[in-house]
Amino acid sequence: MTDTVLNHRAEGPSSAPPLLLGPSLGTSYALWDKVAPELSITHRVVRWDLPGHGGSAAGLIGPGATVGELADLVIGLADTLGIERFAYAGVSLGGAVGLELAVRHPERVTSLAVICSSAHFNGAKAWEKRAALVRSEGLSGLAESADARWFTPGFTVPGLVRDHRDADPGAYAACCDALAAFDLREHLAQIRVPTLLVAGREDPATPPAHLREIADAVPGAGLVEIPGASHLAPAERPEAVLTALRAHFGGDAASGMRVRREVLGDAHVDRAQARQTAFTAQFQDFISRYAWGEIWTDPTLTRRERSMITLTALVAHGHYDELAMHVRAALRNGLTAEEIGAVLMQTAVYCGVPAANSAFATAQRVLAEETDGTS
């Protein structure tokens, strides 16, 4: 802890692109425990604590604080670490800090993700009342209701609830002051950095309509709604949040999804996306980033050549459902029926006649469907 710089934790290669992660009111940087280690594979991740929360000194802000002052503290942290420009993601109050950064310091922010947050927080009255309560009675009583405000019924993260209870009451109240005064709606159109909004579909504090309002006002912004997530989505649905952030900050996933659609077709990819769950989200992200974002985008081989290699590998391992999908992809990549047949003849020599026999049956069915227009 220092009296001048926000407490923080840095992870990932020092040479990687910087990504700063902001917390929600009442939590610490532990809010990102299930997300930050994965993001640190490709980024220099720096997650920070609000004043009076976690390891940050309470005296960094005082009564009447503003979100702008918190944004200045983040800039100070970046300066201390030698970070000139950075991507940023934040939850709730941390998301408001991100919006403030994008408006007031656009030259410092490369891209932005705002999670379970708002451009305003339903007016000043409730926050003024909460600040007064905390200043007079402390945080123990308020911490008792944290689960109901933060998570869907039956879910909890005891460490985060403990962070809430242990926060400094004066600094917490000053953060409430900042939320009471915050309203950035008239300035959202000024934001020009690539922006993603992530909403928890079950969030009572900042429901999806709040994120949709920002998405509609920020030019080119995208919106993702996460089913089964309440206010602290990175803790409750980390896989889904990770998938969204990787696609937004990573580049490989975004370009990979484009190539995946070009090769496999929109209908197939849309079906795969519709079937995605929290359990399969990380695998779907892996496919988009690695298979399609790195391998299929490598210009060393043409897509025709990659299709021929893929057909052979699928026959060799007997993956005939995947083979059917990639016969369609091969046609889309420019192979003729005759060339596909020639590839399967090659597999008869090197993978075995029974495997090639099954492959020809699969390919013949697909080619007939494509000819009839029934696929």
Side-chain angles (χ1 to χ4, degrees), residues 229-252:
S230 187
H231 192 52
L232 300 189
E236 188 166 14
R237 292 290 181 266
E239 301 91 348
V241 171
L242 182 60
T243 297
L245 294 184
R246 275 177 166 163
H248 182 59
F249 293 129
D252 285 342

Side-chain angles (χ1 to χ4, degrees), residues 25 61-68 70 92-93 96 100 118-132 135 171-185:
L25 176 65
I61 58 171
T66 66
V67 174
L70 293 173
S92 194
L93 177 53
E100 191 80 30
S118 182
H120 63 97
F121 288 83
N122 294 317
K125 187 173 182 180
W127 294 106
E128 291 170 349
K129 182 178 179 181
R130 186 185 295 192
R135 286 182 171 116
Y172 184 101
C175 289
C176 291
D177 294 340
L179 288 168
F182 183 71
D183 189 340
L184 213 62
R185 283 175 287 186

Side-chain angles (χ1 to χ4, degrees), residues 315-331:
V315 174
H317 287 275
H319 299 311
Y320 299 114
D321 288 340
E322 289 274 316
L323 178 65
M325 177 178 71
H326 276 279
V327 168
R328 294 188 180 92
L331 292 170

Side-chain angles (χ1 to χ4, degrees), residues 130-142 169:
R130 186 185 295 192
L133 175 68
V134 170
R135 286 182 171 116
S136 64
E137 299 182 12
L139 283 162
S140 295
L142 194 59

